[in-house]
Amino acid sequence: MVAMEKNGTLDKTAAAKLPKVSGAPAIPTESQMDYAKEDIAQGWGKAVSR
């Protein structure tokens, strides 16, 4: 968002409506990502066939 503000492409009206965020983002570990990928791969067919 900072880059968009600097180059003049930020929609200030829309940005003003966003909630304030605090704290550091939670980044999943490599093992968590692997687990999630496997979980999605196994359930994907059922999820998209509805």
Side-chain angles (χ1 to χ4, degrees), residues 8-47:
T9 60
L10 178 66
D11 181 336
K12 292 181 181 179
T13 303
K17 294 178 183 178
L18 293 172
K20 299 297 178 201
V21 178
S22 63
I27 309 296
T29 64
E30 188 72 30
S31 63
Q32 289 171 323
M33 289 295 292
D34 290 341
Y35 180 82
K37 288 176 190 176
E38 183 64 28
D39 200 35
I40 291 169
Q42 289 182 7
W44 188 255
K46 182 179 178 184

